Amino acid sequence: METVIFRRIALMVMMMTSMMVNMAKSELHYVGGNKFSWAPNVNLTQWSMHQHFYVHDWLYFGYDRHMQNVLEVNKTSYENCIDKDFIKNITRGGGKDVIELKEVKTYYFLSSGGFCWNGLKVVINVENVAPTPSPGHNKSSSCTIGINQNLVILLILMWGIIIFK
């Protein structure tokens, strides 16, 4: 009986550790390449074409909070710069907004007030699973964030204690 419980606990800890390690691989992408490049006359199409976006990655929009905003829209609204009937208003008022890419799909973002017509819009194509980064992986416009590094370490330590008990 004790062995069965031990095996179940060990399996559960290994599964949780695996999940936490995958979560720690999320990337934070600065839209446009830096902290304040959600702005007119930045080639966001070119930027997004050179990025890879995966489920659980994050987008950071940095902009002039008095001028721009961030709206998630559908494809038609994106193509025609329509800022009404948007899917979600990402704007929180500080000019520094973050959104998690929660599912495999194409996301469309734009800024209202005529800024969309000046190119202040971007398409983000989200893929399912991020591959293991190669040693020469370029992080110039994104950074790895370890959301749960302490939790992963704790789970590994707990797993070691359970196994060697």
Side-chain angles (χ1 to χ4, degrees), residues 75-118:
K75 183 177 181 180
T76 302
S77 294
Y78 174 84
E79 291 170 343
N80 298 295
C81 289
I82 299 169
D83 58 8
K84 297 188 180 12
D85 300 322
F86 49 83
I87 296 170
K88 185 175 185 180
N89 185 349
I90 309 303
T91 310
R92 297 291 172 248
K96 300 172 187 169
D97 296 316
V98 181
I99 182 172
E100 181 182 8
L101 302 172
K102 294 183 179 182
E103 61 183 297
V104 175
K105 74 174 195 175
T106 301
Y107 290 82
Y108 300 92
F109 298 100
L110 60 78
S111 184
S112 64
F115 288 100
C116 178
W117 294 108
N118 291 326

Side-chain angles (χ1 to χ4, degrees), residues 11 21 25 32 51 58 70-72 78 88 94 96 108 112 116 120 122-123 130 146 148 153 157 159:
L11 180 62
V21 168
K25 291 181 184 177
Q51 300 294 310
W58 295 80
V70 183
L71 304 175
E72 181 183 352
Y78 174 84
K88 185 175 185 180
K96 300 172 187 169
Y108 300 92
S112 64
C116 178
L120 195 45
V122 68
V123 176
N148 294 304
I153 292 168
L157 289 173
W159 180 71

